Amino acid sequence: MHAGFRRFSSRPIFSEIPRKTSTNKKYKFIRFLHQEVTACASFYAPVVFPPCRLLMSVQPEGAVNPELAAAGSIVSVDPKQLIIKRIILTGYPFRTQKNKAVVRFMFFSPQDIRWFKPVELSTKKGLRGHIKESLGTHGYMKCRFSAHIKQDDTVCMNLYKRVYPKWHPPAWGGNPGASPEEA
């Protein structure tokens, strides 16, 4: 990274930038930097204030000089910024009857079913539903949906988790193996 007059190494995580009209300031995590897409990079580094220019370079294996990967500017220095990663759990209907179904392979214990009971379910074909109760000890559960569910549908549960940038001590001259407490 090259920010203003500073040059340092870092390990950024990337996220989509929310629309300006949105009041929701949660950034959706993306696994890598896509070509020709505007993205936000979050990383631990010495304090740099906006509107500082930023150049991101990558050192390919076997190359002597780094290559320019991205260019942009510092938007904000906000430690409270939320970067959210979506995880989808899937299960399959075992038995179906009108708008009710017994779903399996999403969970494998009744305790997990009770824990996730308040979370809304959705299907690949657009139905919405919720968990009614656990069946047995192997993770089967009774679910009710908004319309008739078919046997070939897939039941999904969206879960969200906050993601933090990777700790990288060489950004400020530290030991690469150091933990946050040792820095």
Side-chain angles (χ1 to χ4, degrees):
M1 295 275 183
H2 193 85
F5 61 88
R6 289 192 172 125
R7 187 180 192 118
F8 53 88
S9 64
S10 66
R11 297 177 65 194
I13 61 170
F14 302 103
S15 58
E16 292 178 356
I17 300 172
R19 296 183 187 96
K20 288 187 179 183
T21 58
S22 174
T23 58
N24 189 2
K25 295 299 178 195
K26 293 179 181 150
Y27 292 66
K28 184 181 171 196
F29 175 79
I30 51 179
R31 292 191 184 278
F32 53 89
L33 189 60
H34 299 279
Q35 193 170 8
E36 301 296 327
V37 173
T38 303
C40 178
S42 301
F43 50 88
Y44 290 115
V47 177
V48 180
F49 293 103
C52 184
R53 298 293 296 164
L54 181 76
L55 298 174
M56 186 185 308
S57 57
V58 177
Q59 182 94 25
E61 298 215 12
V64 178
N65 297 326
E67 294 179 5
L68 183 65
S73 62
I74 304 289
V75 176
S76 69
V77 182
D78 186 11
K80 296 178 186 169
Q81 178 181 1
L82 292 175
I83 300 171
I84 305 297
K85 181 178 182 178
R86 183 174 73 168
I87 301 165
I88 301 174
L89 298 180
T90 59
Y92 303 98
F94 179 62
R95 295 247 193 258
T96 60
Q97 181 180 9
K98 296 186 182 176
N99 62 350
K100 295 180 277 190
V102 174
V103 178
R104 65 177 176 176
F105 299 141
M106 185 179 286
F107 301 110
F108 295 97
S109 70
Q111 294 84 12
D112 292 340
I113 295 170
R114 279 196 301 273
W115 180 264
F116 289 104
K117 192 172 182 178
V119 180
E120 184 182 40
L121 300 173
S122 62
T123 66
K124 296 269 182 157
K125 295 185 179 176
L127 300 177
R128 298 278 177 212
H130 60 275
I131 299 171
K132 295 296 284 181
E133 63 179 322
S134 174
L135 279 180
T137 59
H138 298 291
Y140 286 47
M141 60 187 174
K142 283 186 183 179
C143 302
R144 182 178 291 268
F145 294 92
S146 58
H148 185 77
I149 184 167
K150 297 191 177 177
Q151 192 78 32
D152 65 339
D153 211 347
T154 302
V155 180
C156 303
M157 178 183 285
N158 293 327
L159 301 175
Y160 298 90
K161 174 186 173 186
R162 184 173 182 183
V163 182
Y164 295 93
K166 294 179 178 74
W167 183 253
H168 193 62
W172 50 87
N175 181 12
S179 68
E181 292 81 22
E182 296 170 1

